[in-house]
Amino acid sequence: MRTLYATGDPAELEAAVEATASEGRALVSELPGFRGMGLFVDREIGKLFTATWWDDEKSRQDSDEQLRERRAAQLTPFARTAVVDNWEAAVARPPRSVGPGAWFRLARLEFDPSGTDLLVDTFRDMAMPRLEALSGFVGGSLLVDRAAGRASVGIVWNDRDALVASRGAVAAIRGDATTETRVTTRSLEEFEVVFAGVAPPS
């Protein structure tokens, strides 16, 4: 997976959202190995977050060469900062298709790289089943950067009421998982969903 995290003036955000949702989505969907995309925004603060899914690492790498310049153009003049990260989708239950009205919570984690397998196993076997049992859960994934000892957990909820109602239960799950794996939670954010959808493996 590749993620993009951009921040800027909230007044200029909507143009970047429209460009990403139209031109950007059309462009990326034509590339070999593309599986899906999500676009998430915080209109109040001025944040835009995207995630693209690929069949394999080569498809992701090849697409980056073709998208780098176009990506910058789509974010102008909104983006004052933009960070691109590449990840392994270690545990994935992505949504097939959701649109406006759904919400997304993102947690960023840090850990000793030697504990990557423990984190993946704990999330897959303990955290994900508990998350899937919560009302309003639509999809979620654990993304890892094994070499850097970084991870992110993204969960999509059916609507904002479900997201709000889940906060306490998810905090308990997060606490249990991070204690078990000695992981540090570095940030926690919530976004509106513009769209998100990932095709199943062929």
Side-chain angles (χ1 to χ4, degrees), residues 128-171:
M128 182 60 87
R130 290 169 64 183
L131 290 166
E132 290 177 310
L134 296 177
S135 177
F137 174 93
V138 176
S141 301
L142 167 68
L143 312 181
V144 299
D145 180 336
R146 293 176 181 267
R150 299 184 305 138
S152 66
V153 174
I155 306 295
V156 177
W157 301 92
N158 187 61
D159 52 37
R160 192 171 189 279
D161 287 345
L163 174 131
V164 170
S166 74
R167 287 172 180 161
V170 173

Side-chain angles (χ1 to χ4, degrees), residues 1 8 27 32 104 109 111 114 119 135 145-147 155 183 188 196:
M1 285 188 65
L27 177 64
F104 175 70
L109 314 174
F111 55 93
S114 66
L119 171 62
S135 177
D145 180 336
R146 293 176 181 267
I155 306 295
V183 166
L188 189 63

